[in-house]
Amino acid sequence: MRYYHPDIQPYHSDHLPVGEGHKIWFAESGNRDGIPVVILHGGPGAGSADKDRGFFDPRQYRIIQLDQRGCGRSTPHGALENNTPHHLVADLEALRAHLGITQWVLFGGSWGSTLALLYGQTHPAAVLGFILRGIFLGRPEDLSWLYENGAGRIFPEHWQKFCAAVDYETPLLDTYYHRLTGADELEALRVAKAWAAWEGLIATLKPSPKTVARFINPHTALSMARISAHYFVQQCFLDDNQLLRDMPKIADLPAIIVHGRYDMICPMDNAWALKQAWPGARLEVIREAGHSAHDPAMADALIRATDDLAHDLGVPDRSA
């Protein structure tokens, strides 16, 4: 089993103004002359995690992290104005130009996989390849699974608490959205923590108090719940089946898809549907993993994937 690469610190970090009052935080680490890879975090609104740098051999990769609009160290925190997937795609292009990168690898999980696909389909010439985990296609059935009639049947005790936090009303997503965007800031934070706890409790194969604690941290919970609800009540601002419809635009690009068999946030059929639309992609189903990138078997698969893609792109294997 592969283990995380040693902890490293960024050699450069800054905020990039991207318009409409937004500034996105980004950081670079690893080999300045290595394969550029951009890590696209989930949520939307969860923010980047330092631990994600450990998926990459720092001798092979130039590792770029960013906090998407409104979350993490980007400002203004929790902002919903001018915050759509199309803005996020434009932000990535602005960052790529700012860093002088011609092409880069897209590494995204959960919502990050959605954004990676959308960016790639918009700017295919800028992409070297993809490593995608915990696929989320943003379809109505994918939202229904998590917020209507799916995961709650597997975790009824957690679902009951999630619903009770807003005195369950239908549709639940709309109820959460109105509470999260209302004038009562204390109520918004309380509801945000309930939203974040629901996802944190079902994200890992085995119970992980550390994961839940990270999710319900007030700074993370507020941005993730607000921005996620903002996106989800708008069906992720995507056309029906848009990502699968537009797969021909990137069908010839190399891709490794890694999905946990027991992913309770983004069920396996997301990855299966993507593979059917992307015959050239490699799909790995990880039996002993859920949704989290940091389930041990998932982390092992992702580290192997980054090594494999580096090899496929012509970089010698230095893992020995």
Side-chain angles (χ1 to χ4, degrees):
M1 180 171 284
R2 296 283 178 94
Y3 296 95
Y4 296 101
H5 292 283
D7 290 340
I8 56 173
Q9 295 301 312
Y11 58 76
H12 175 228
S13 64
D14 202 351
H15 285 84
L16 177 67
V18 288
E20 298 97 16
H22 285 274
K23 294 181 180 180
I24 59 168
W25 175 88
F26 69 93
E28 298 179 87
S29 56
N31 182 354
R32 296 172 188 263
D33 298 317
I35 301 168
V37 58
V38 60
I39 304 175
L40 303 179
H41 64 71
S48 60
D50 292 347
K51 194 174 183 179
D52 289 348
R53 293 192 287 267
F55 292 125
F56 304 91
D57 185 337
R59 299 167 297 180
Q60 294 180 327
Y61 282 96
R62 178 184 177 185
I63 306 161
I64 299 145
Q65 293 176 277
L66 77 151
D67 289 329
Q68 295 158 28
R69 288 192 180 203
C71 62
R73 286 152 283 197
S74 294
T75 60
H77 184 256
L80 306 182
E81 298 78 12
N82 300 300
N83 193 338
T84 71
H86 310 293
H87 289 98
L88 303 188
V89 167
D91 292 348
L92 285 170
E93 268 299 89
L95 180 60
R96 184 176 70 87
H98 177 73
L99 297 177
I101 293 170
T102 303
Q103 292 179 301
W104 51 7
V105 172
L106 302 175
F107 180 96
S110 193
W111 164 256
S113 72
T114 318
L115 180 57
L117 291 169
L118 184 60
Y119 174 88
Q121 291 168 358
T122 307
H123 301 286
V127 182
L128 284 168
F130 300 82
I131 299 174
L132 305 177
R133 184 268 314 165
I135 303 302
F136 175 62
L137 295 176
R139 302 167 298 181
E141 58 263 43
D142 306 321
L143 295 171
S144 176
W145 166 264
L146 195 54
Y147 299 112
E148 291 180 3
N149 186 30
R153 299 177 65 185
I154 312 298
F155 296 96
E157 70 279 29
H158 302 321
W159 176 251
Q160 185 178 61
K161 291 179 181 178
F162 181 52
C163 294
V166 291
D167 301 321
Y168 183 78
E169 297 177 30
T170 303
L172 185 61
L173 264 178
D174 288 352
T175 304
Y176 261 92
Y177 174 74
H178 291 305
R179 297 287 187 90
L180 289 163
T181 57
D184 188 336
E185 294 183 2
L186 290 177
E187 172 66 1
L189 180 57
R190 183 190 70 81
V191 170
K193 293 180 73 172
W195 177 291
W198 163 239
E199 293 204 25
L201 286 163
I202 68 174
T204 52
L205 184 65
K206 297 179 180 180
S208 173
K210 286 180 64 176
T211 298
V212 176
R214 176 176 177 260
F215 276 36
I216 66 172
N217 174 280
H219 187 79
T220 299
L222 190 61
S223 62
M224 181 168 72
R226 276 175 55 85
I227 296 172
S228 290
H230 165 67
Y231 276 53
F232 296 162
V233 297
Q234 297 289 342
Q235 300 293 311
C236 298
F237 298 89
L238 299 174
D239 296 337
D240 289 345
N241 223 30
Q242 178 178 332
L243 296 178
L244 295 180
R245 180 199 71 196
D246 289 346
M247 281 307 303
K249 297 178 180 180
I250 56 173
D252 60 337
L253 291 172
I256 302 173
I257 303 167
V258 185
H259 206 103
R261 170 67 72 184
Y262 301 106
D263 190 328
M264 291 292 109
I265 291 181
C266 299
M268 175 66 203
D269 68 333
N270 282 266
W272 188 252
L274 182 61
K275 168 61 179 174
Q276 305 317 297
W278 206 347
R282 184 176 105 196
L283 171 61
E284 294 190 7
V285 181
I286 311 305
R287 185 183 63 186
E288 297 179 351
H291 183 68
S292 173
H294 299 288
D295 277 341
M298 179 62 73
D300 167 71
L302 289 172
I303 294 164
R304 290 179 183 275
T306 62
D307 288 346
D308 289 350
L309 186 59
H311 179 269
D312 293 345
L313 294 174
V315 177
D317 184 0
R318 299 170 177 171
S319 60

